[in-house]
Amino acid sequence: MAKILIVGGGYTGFYTAFKLQKRLRRGEAEVTIVDPLPYMTYHPFLPEVAAGLIEARHVIVPLRRHLKKTHVVQGRVISVNHAKKTATIEPSAGKTYSVKYDHIVIAAGSVSRTFPIPGVAEEAFGMKSIEEALAVRDRIIDNFAKAANLPKGKERDRLLTVTVIGGGFAGIETFAELRSLASAMLSQYPELTIDDTKFHMIEAMSRVMPEVSLRTSHWVLKNLASRGATVHLDTQLTSAKGGKVELSNGISFESDLIVWTAGVMANPVVRDMDLPIDDRGRMQSSTTLQVTRNDGTIVAGAWAAGDNAAVPDLTGGGVGGMCVPNAQHAVRQAKTLAKNLVAVLRGEKPVEYKHKNLGSVAGLGVGYGVFQSGKLAITGFPAWLMHRGYHGLAMPMWERKFRVVGGWIMQFLVGRDTTTLALRETPKSYFRAYASPSAK
Ligand SMILES: Cc1cc2nc3c(=O)[nH]c(=O)nc-3n(C[C@H](O)[C@H](O)[C@H](O)COP(=O)(O)OP(=O)(O)OC[C@H]3O[C@@H](n4cnc5c(N)ncnc54)[C@H](O)[C@@H]3O)c2cc1C
């Protein structure tokens, strides 16, 4: 029986395993998936989780529940020796060990890309995981509660100032959703007004959201300005030390919530594999999603797709001729990869991956959105409905779709959930406060 090892259980890894389960005949291959997390995360919903519009657990898909014919290992692949077809795994408990495989699928995704700006690593949150989205939600809600107890002044201003760095899709969605949450919460805080809340978006380029037309991006800027949010274009963050935000345009202010969304890079773990990577640290992949050497020959038994792979874009689009790192590609590449892997096992020819971008849709807070496909642009409420419609359906697994859409219906009836569970970070404090000290 062939042994297939999948590194990473995110979009690409999860869908590859899911499709392999369906395609493989009994006894044809044994599939193992390794991920430090027991779930795949539906990233497009992270901004809505941060804004209290979706319950956090609803946007993650438990691997064991949906990959019943796959061996799930909770751990991290730390290196791969493809010459010996061996991968080293660091499990979440127990000793590091090695496994043998016949085929390996590299699907470790991407990580936040930062620059050595003072204070960023210490002060900022990323927006790549469910835990970060939840922490951001708790922070903003908690800060409102704290600020309401304070007189006007420096500390209150700091608590009510939110900064997001990076005006790409994820950044703008996060920024706009947090603005929407803050505006919605004001009705519960008679002590605070909209003018007390400050929202700053920092973008190094002269525009936001490169995925939409310039005209649509101008609509976004106007919309954000009308909602009390400031976008600093052509501006870089120079320091975030101690929460004091300093910008290249000379402006500085204190901010208690700083979110970094200025780009991603391929997961550095791919550098610890004896497989070819390109100058941007991505696994070199072919249009059949097989790892390729510089001369274009295929490395037998090695496959790569998703954010950690440079896959040629046969539609002629993409950046530098390669597919851009997004979920649209990750899901479809995974499906083609599973099909091709089974074909190769059966001695058949793999097919080429080709997908024309369907367009982009973003949610910018309740009632606001943008959609762009070619020259067609839709903005405002209809685009927001399209955002919910598209992502409600794109959420993997019916049980998860029901949870997300069910939550939206509940919210329509009973309102947004603005509670925080920040104290879960120190759950033992309740118990310890009254626990008898241990006998000496
Ligand atoms: C906030 C946000 C919003 C987004 N919105 C959109 C959108 O609206 N539309 C869109 O098309 N795309 C969107 N994206 C991009 C999309 O989420 C990614 O392109 C997609 O997740 C890529 O899938 P992947 O499988 O390559 O990586 P991931 O889904 O990130 O999966 C990688 C997996 O590998 C695991 N892993 C990491 N290291 C190891 C290791 N050493 N060993 C084993 N496993 C490991 C990780 O835990 C993770 O589960 C968004 C991204 C973000 C962050």
Side-chain angles (χ1 to χ4, degrees):
M1 225 203 289
K3 284 191 164 69
I4 301 172
L5 179 70
I6 303 175
V7 183
Y11 268 93
T12 314
F14 175 79
Y15 272 103
T16 302
F18 191 69
K19 290 292 166 186
L20 282 174
Q21 285 187 163
K22 295 207 160 168
R23 287 181 173 271
L24 286 167
R25 297 186 196 118
R26 191 184 280 269
E28 201 171 15
E30 186 185 277
V31 183
T32 301
I33 194 164
V34 186
D35 197 302
L37 303 171
Y39 48 77
M40 76 83 81
T41 306
Y42 191 77
H43 293 111
F45 278 149
L46 293 184
E48 283 198 55
V49 169
L53 292 171
I54 306 181
E55 185 51 41
R57 279 190 177 81
H58 296 176
V59 308
I60 53 178
V61 183
L63 301 181
R64 282 181 187 269
R65 175 167 179 171
H66 293 286
L67 298 178
K68 292 226 166 73
K69 293 190 203 156
T70 302
H71 179 215
V72 178
V73 175
Q74 199 171 332
R76 192 178 291 279
V77 169
I78 52 171
S79 64
V80 168
N81 183 339
H82 192 67
K84 292 192 174 159
K85 296 226 171 148
T86 305
T88 305
I89 299 174
E90 192 180 77
S92 54
K95 286 194 177 140
T96 299
Y97 62 96
S98 294
V99 287
K100 286 264 188 200
Y101 60 80
D102 299 297
H103 288 267
I104 191 162
V105 178
I106 314 295
S110 53
V111 297
S112 294
R113 180 183 52 132
T114 54
F115 309 103
I117 301 169
V120 166
E122 296 78 17
E123 304 294 333
F125 289 93
M127 189 51 75
K128 279 284 287 172
S129 68
I130 194 71
E131 293 78 8
E132 289 167 321
L134 254 182
V136 166
R137 168 183 166 164
D138 285 345
R139 174 69 70 95
I140 189 169
I141 298 173
D142 260 9
N143 281 359
F144 259 62
K146 286 179 190 163
N149 285 333
L150 292 173
K152 273 187 190 291
K154 223 173 137 194
E155 183 52 18
R156 191 178 190 255
D157 288 349
R158 177 189 164 95
L159 289 167
L160 295 174
T161 301
V162 174
T163 310
V164 178
I165 299 122
F169 235 73
I172 287 285
E173 281 192 303
T174 303
F175 186 60
E177 289 287 1
L178 293 179
R179 175 66 269 183
S180 168
L181 167 65
S183 301
M185 279 196 302
L186 285 172
S187 64
Q188 299 168 17
Y189 290 89
E191 306 87 343
L192 307 175
T193 69
I194 188 155
D195 293 334
D196 293 329
T197 61
K198 300 278 183 282
F199 277 73
H200 295 276
M201 152 66 63
I202 322 298
E203 169 52 52
M205 293 202 306
S206 55
R207 59 162 300 176
V208 293
M209 293 180 114
E211 300 85 350
V212 302
S213 71
L214 192 60
R215 199 159 163 224
T216 311
S217 78
H218 285 157
W219 181 89
V220 173
L221 292 178
K222 236 170 112 180
N223 174 269
L224 287 169
S226 72
R227 291 159 59 190
T230 310
V231 178
H232 305 264
L233 295 176
D234 291 313
T235 306
Q236 285 165 13
L237 177 75
T238 53
S239 175
K241 232 173 157 183
K244 181 165 185 223
V245 173
E246 288 177 8
L247 305 179
S248 57
N249 60 9
I251 295 174
S252 73
F253 49 85
E254 301 250 343
S255 176
D256 199 63
L257 176 55
I258 302 172
V259 186
W260 180 274
T261 57
V264 293
M265 61 180 186
N267 192 323
V269 73
V270 302
R271 294 171 194 267
D272 296 319
M273 304 178 180
D274 58 345
L275 289 165
I277 53 174
D278 73 356
D279 53 0
R280 292 174 63 182
R282 298 172 297 184
M283 197 111 305
Q284 284 180 190
S285 196
S286 66
T287 48
T288 53
L289 306 162
Q290 290 163 289
V291 175
T292 52
R293 299 184 188 88
N294 287 340
D295 61 7
T297 54
I298 301 287
V299 180
W303 305 77
D307 283 8
N308 71 181
V311 180
D313 189 338
L314 287 179
T315 66
V319 175
M322 299 294 158
C323 297
V324 292
N326 68 23
Q328 252 186 66
H329 281 302
V331 172
R332 288 168 181 82
Q333 286 172 359
K335 291 178 182 172
T336 307
L337 196 161
K339 194 171 163 188
N340 283 352
L341 211 164
V342 174
V344 167
L345 284 178
R346 294 178 187 162
E348 295 161 10
K349 248 186 107 179
V351 297
E352 292 196 303
Y353 171 78
K354 186 175 179 184
H355 167 67
K356 192 165 173 0
N357 196 301
L358 298 172
S360 308
V361 64
L364 303 176
V366 176
Y368 305 105
V370 284
F371 167 80
Q372 181 95 42
S373 180
K375 286 194 176 149
L376 174 69
I378 299 173
T379 53
F381 189 69
W384 177 75
L385 283 182
M386 289 167 79
H387 162 78
R388 287 219 157 167
Y390 173 80
H391 285 295
L393 284 174
M395 179 72 212
M397 305 299 117
W398 283 102
E399 55 102 2
R400 259 30 214 183
K401 288 190 216 307
F402 288 143
R403 288 174 209 267
V404 170
V405 177
W408 285 335
I409 294 169
M410 280 305 288
Q411 249 165 50
F412 181 69
L413 299 174
V414 297
R416 186 196 300 249
D417 191 347
T418 51
T419 49
T420 121
L421 287 178
L423 285 178
R424 78 185 181 288
E425 302 285 344
T426 51
K428 293 207 164 170
S429 57
Y430 288 107
F431 184 68
R432 283 199 187 127
Y434 304 105
S436 309
S438 47
K440 290 236 168 94

